[in-house]
C-alpha cells in the first residue's frame, strides 16, 4: 500500500477529544468532498505536476499542493526514526479514507503508537480495530457525496461543524439514526471561529451534554 503524502509535522492536537495532546500529523493528498469553508484546499487535487521528492515533505508544514508517494514501510521508518517525540499519529487530509489505512495503522500500533483518523464520513473507514476514528460529517457539500453509514457506525467521536441552528437539527437527526448501542463522543466545532457560531455551540453543548471543540491551535496561532 502506498499513500500520497502532503506533509508530516509535529504539533499539538487542537481539536476534539485529544485537544492538547502532542501529535504527529500525517496529511494525505486528495479530497473530492468540496467543503466551502475548507482550510486545506491545497490538498483537494493529487496532480502529477505537484509530485516532489520525499525530502520536501518529511517534517515540513505548509499550505502547498505538493505531495510524494510513500509506502507503509517508508512511513513507519520515518515516523519511528527518533525525530519525533509524540506517539500519537493523526492521519488527516484531504480525505484520508480514500485510502486503505489498515496496513499503516496496524504497523504503527505495533511500534507502540496510538492512531487517530480525521474523516468527513463520506467514505468507508478502513483501519485497525484500535484506531480512534473522528468523523466530522460533511453533508450537502459541493462534491455531492452522502454520508457513509458504516463510517458513522465506526466513529468513536463525531466532531460536528456548526454555524446555525439548522446544523444542530441536522446533527440531532444524524444521532437519532445511529444504532442505540452506538454512542460516540459528540463535539461541536464552530465554523471559522465566528462569535455567533461559538456562542451557539456553547449553548448546545451545555443543553445536550456535548463537548466543545474550539480549534485551540487557531486561537494560539500554532500549526
Amino acid at each position: 500500500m502506498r499513500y500520497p503524502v502532503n506533509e508530516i509535522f509535529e504539533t499539538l492536537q487542537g481539536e476534539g477529544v485529544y485537544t492538547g495532546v502532542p501529535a504527529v500529523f500525517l496529511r494525505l493528498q486528495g479530497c473530492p468532498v468540496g467543503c466551502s469553508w475548507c482550510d486545506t484546499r491545497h490538498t483537494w487535487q493529487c496532480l502529477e505536476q505537484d509530485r516532489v521528492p520525499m525530502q520536501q515533505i518529511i517534517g515540513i508544514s505548509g499550505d502547498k499542493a505538493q505531495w510524494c508517494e510513500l509506502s507503509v514501510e517508508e512511513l513507519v521508518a520515518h515516523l519511528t526514526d527518533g525525530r519525533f517525540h509524540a506517539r500519537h499519529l493523526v492521519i488527516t487530509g484531504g480525505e484520508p479514507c480514500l485510502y486503505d489505512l489498515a496496513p499503516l495503522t496496524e504497523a504503527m500500533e505495533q511500534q507502540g503508537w496510538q492512531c487517530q483518523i480525521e474523516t468527513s464520513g463520506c467514505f468507508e473507514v478502513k483501519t485497525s480495530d484500535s484506531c480512534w476514528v473522528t468523523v466530522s460529517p460533511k453533508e450537502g457539500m459541493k462534491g455531492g457525496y452522502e454520508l457513509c453509514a458504516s463510517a458513522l457506525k465506526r466513529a468513536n467521536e463525531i466532531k460536528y461543524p456548526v454555524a446555525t441552528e439548522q446544523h444542530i437539527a441536522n446533527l440531532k437527526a444524524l444521532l437519532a439514526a445511529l444504532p442505540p448501542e452506538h454512542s460516540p463522543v459528540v463535539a461541536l466545532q464552530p465554523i471559522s471561529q465566528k462569535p455567533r457560531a461559538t456562542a451557539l455551540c456553547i449553548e448546545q453543548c451545555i443543553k445536550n451534554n456535548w463537548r466543545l471543540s474550539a480549534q485551540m491551535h487557531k486561537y494560539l496561532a500554532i500549526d
Side-chain angles (χ1 to χ4, degrees):
M1 188 68 200
R2 300 182 67 83
Y3 303 98
V5 177
N6 174 269
E7 58 182 348
I8 301 176
F9 63 97
E10 189 171 33
T11 186
L12 297 179
Q13 171 62 282
E15 303 176 357
V17 168
Y18 287 100
T19 294
V21 173
V24 176
F25 276 71
L26 168 62
R27 190 178 304 282
L28 301 183
Q29 191 77 5
C31 181
V33 178
C35 300
S36 59
W37 62 83
C38 180
D39 57 3
T40 56
R41 290 171 180 257
H42 59 282
T43 66
W44 286 8
Q45 293 184 296
C46 197
L47 303 177
E48 186 62 31
Q49 67 196 43
D50 294 323
R51 186 194 288 254
V52 298
M54 179 176 60
Q55 291 74 17
Q56 295 184 36
I57 298 295
I58 303 297
I60 297 173
S61 175
D63 296 341
K64 299 179 181 178
Q66 63 187 20
W67 60 278
C68 71
E69 189 176 71
L70 297 177
S71 68
V72 172
E73 294 76 17
E74 289 169 324
L75 279 168
V76 172
H78 282 283
L79 290 166
T80 62
D81 69 358
R83 73 184 70 202
F84 299 120
H85 300 286
R87 292 296 179 268
H88 183 77
L89 177 66
V90 180
I91 306 173
T92 186
E95 173 47 69
C97 290
L98 291 173
Y99 314 103
D100 182 356
L101 301 173
L104 177 59
T105 52
E106 289 168 359
M108 290 304 296
E109 287 168 1
Q110 290 173 5
Q111 297 293 323
W113 285 52
Q114 180 181 42
C115 295
Q116 177 183 3
I117 294 170
E118 296 183 340
T119 175
S120 66
C122 295
F123 302 92
E124 182 182 358
V125 180
K126 299 177 182 178
T127 188
S128 66
D129 292 338
S130 300
C131 181
W132 182 270
V133 176
T134 299
V135 174
S136 185
K138 303 300 191 298
E139 304 171 274
M141 296 297 123
K142 184 179 179 180
Y145 289 89
E146 296 183 357
L147 294 178
C148 175
S150 67
L152 293 173
K153 291 178 182 178
R154 178 61 181 83
N156 300 102
E157 171 186 13
I158 292 180
K159 186 179 63 182
Y160 206 88
V162 171
T164 67
E165 292 277 2
Q166 184 59 53
H167 292 134
I168 300 298
N170 293 347
L171 170 60
K172 289 183 175 179
L174 183 154
L175 295 174
L178 292 177
E181 68 276 8
H182 185 46
S183 54
V185 175
V186 177
L188 302 188
Q189 187 156 292
I191 292 176
S192 301
Q193 301 84 49
K194 294 184 180 297
R196 286 185 61 186
T198 302
L200 174 60
C201 287
I202 292 171
E203 173 193 333
Q204 292 297 321
C205 284
I206 293 171
K207 281 186 177 180
N208 296 282
N209 199 29
W210 294 334
R211 298 191 185 195
L212 179 68
S213 175
Q215 294 187 293
M216 177 190 73
H217 58 295
K218 293 187 178 181
Y219 285 99
L220 298 179
I222 61 174
D223 289 333

